[in-house]
Structures are given as C-alpha cells and as structure tokens.
Amino acid sequence: GENVEQHPSTLSVQEGDSAVIKCTYSDSASNYFPWYKQELGKRPQLIIDIRSNVGEKKDQRIAVTLNKTAKHFSLHITETQPEDSAVYFCAASRNNNDMRFGAGTRLTVKP
Amino acid sequence: DGGITQSPKYLFRKEGQNVTLSCEQNLNHDAMYWYRQDPGQGLRLIYYSQIVNDFQKGDIAEGYSVSREKKESFPLTVTSAQKNPTAFYLCASSVTGGVQNEQFFGPGTRLTVL
C-alpha cells in the first residue's frame, strides 16, 4: 500500500519568512495530493490540493508543487503570519479512496 | 463546521469493555472513513466505506469493527481486543465518482482507557 513520509516534523520561522514542507510517496499510481491544516484542538481542514495532471497550484500565499518522477510534493507558504501556526499534514491517494497521511509538521510562526 | 458530527467528544472506557463511537454526516457523501490520531504519528486509517453495506480494512483495523447500514452513519466499535485504544479518533466523509476528493472531517472523539 501507499506510504507517505513528511519532513520536517517541526518547523519554526519568523513572521514574514517562507515555510516549506516536503512529502514523498511510494505508490506511483497515486493521483491526488491534498494538504490539511489542523489547529490545536480542531479538526483537519483542507487548504490546498493537487492532482497528478498538474505540476503546480497556487492559492494566494500557499502553493503546492508535484514531481511525479521523483514521487514527491511540497507545500510552500510565503509571508507567514502567526495564524499560520498549526500542524500540517500531506496525503496521497489513488481513485479507490483509501488516502494515506504523512506524520505531520508542526509549524510555529514567531512574531 | 457543520455537516459531519461525532459523538461523544470525550469517552472513558474501562479495560475489557467495548465502546462505540458515532459518526453522522448530512453531506450526502458516499464515502466515509475512520482515522486514529496519536501524537507524532499523523492520521492512520482504520476502516473506510465507499458505499452502504460495504467497507474495507485500513492499516490498523485489528481490534476495531464498523458497520455501514445507512449512508449517513458509520459507527466505529473499539473492542476489548484493541490493546492500546487511548487516542483521538477522527471520522471523515467525501464524495466519490471515480476520483478521490476532499475529505471533510468531524470534530473527533477522544477515547481514554482507564
């Protein structure tokens, strides 16, 4: 089955700097790669996703890049703000709906 | 945050007891999922169901059971066979239609074994 690895496990940046979180996946048939944000005590919520037919997607300060050949994808957050502090999870899935998640990255944005 | 609910929010169980966690959604989603979340380990898939009366084991199904008698409901039973059940349990749902789509999560149930 699919195996997703996520790095780093913790990340601390100064407000205004950029943050990058990287994930690798094992199943070359995976074609859907979402990123979820989980604030303390709350449920995970989707912030951006990408399908295997595109290499990059951007939504305001958030972007995701996908390298199918290398089987890795990354989340980029620019101009970070204290409210970006949370745990971020990457995930990978095929069409059969059994999604696998990375272990998470705890991002801290220091004011 | 509406659409998918879980109850109870906190649950305490004595060793040797079975407990059932509720998950209900009114989003008309075909697919539903159960995950276990432990510190530092992300979300691990327990069971998932793509359609009523059908479900598949995930990576850590041992000691758990599910049913899917109605589209709206996907209860999870934590049996006494689960050796380390203390964790945060998240239910999710999504549309299907041949491709994977966004999963919407419930607020979670925190289970503690006393």
Side-chain angles (χ1 to χ4, degrees):
Chain A
E2 177 65 274
N3 181 48
V4 178
E5 295 191 356
Q6 182 172 347
H7 300 280
S9 58
T10 61
L11 179 60
S12 181
V13 300
Q14 287 294 136
E15 182 176 0
D17 287 350
S18 295
V20 180
I21 303 170
K22 299 181 179 182
C23 289
T24 60
Y25 61 99
S26 61
D27 187 350
S28 57
S30 289
N31 55 19
Y32 177 67
F33 307 92
W35 286 88
Y36 285 83
K37 175 183 180 182
Q38 186 177 29
E39 297 178 2
L40 189 62
K42 296 189 176 180
R43 70 189 80 189
Q45 292 193 305
L46 181 77
I47 55 171
I48 195 167
D49 56 10
I50 192 169
R51 298 192 187 273
S52 58
N53 57 346
V54 297
E56 184 174 358
K57 184 176 179 181
K58 189 173 182 180
D59 183 4
Q60 299 183 334
R61 297 187 296 109
I62 295 173
V64 57
T65 58
L66 171 65
N67 183 327
K68 286 188 295 183
T69 302
K71 290 190 282 187
H72 66 71
F73 55 113
S74 300
L75 177 71
H76 304 254
I77 306 175
T78 59
E79 301 172 22
T80 53
Q81 302 166 4
E83 51 264 39
D84 294 329
S85 295
V87 178
Y88 291 81
F89 294 98
C90 63
S93 176
R94 290 184 177 198
N95 291 339
N96 59 354
N97 293 315
D98 58 339
M99 193 177 296
R100 297 297 191 275
F101 286 79
T105 296
R106 182 174 299 279
L107 173 65
T108 302
V109 179
K110 295 180 286 187
Chain B
D1 281 352
I4 181 164
T5 59
Q6 292 183 242
S7 62
K9 186 173 182 179
Y10 298 97
L11 185 58
F12 298 90
R13 188 193 93 173
K14 294 181 180 179
E15 286 192 21
Q17 286 182 334
N18 293 354
V19 290
T20 297
L21 282 58
S22 169
C23 178
E24 304 278 334
Q25 53 96 3
N26 61 4
L27 301 168
N28 200 33
H29 287 168
D30 285 309
M32 297 187 74
Y33 315 80
W34 274 106
Y35 294 94
R36 170 177 171 146
Q37 187 173 27
D38 295 282
Q41 294 195 48
L43 283 74
R44 291 186 290 167
L45 183 65
I46 305 172
Y47 269 98
Y48 66 103
S49 168
Q50 297 181 51
I51 197 168
V52 174
N53 292 323
D54 185 57
F55 48 83
Q56 287 79 41
K57 293 181 178 180
D59 297 326
I60 56 166
E62 184 176 353
Y64 300 97
S65 66
V66 294
S67 63
R68 187 82 188 278
E69 298 177 359
K70 298 186 302 181
K71 187 175 185 178
E72 301 80 15
S73 179
F74 191 40
L76 173 74
T77 297
V78 184
T79 74
S80 57
Q82 171 50 237
K83 298 305 179 187
N84 184 23
T86 294
F88 188 54
Y89 291 87
L90 284 162
C91 178
S93 70
S94 71
V95 299
T96 51
V99 294
Q100 180 58 280
N101 292 286
E102 175 184 1
Q103 293 188 8
F104 292 84
F105 285 86
T109 292
R110 188 166 297 280
L111 172 64
T112 302
V113 174
L114 303 173

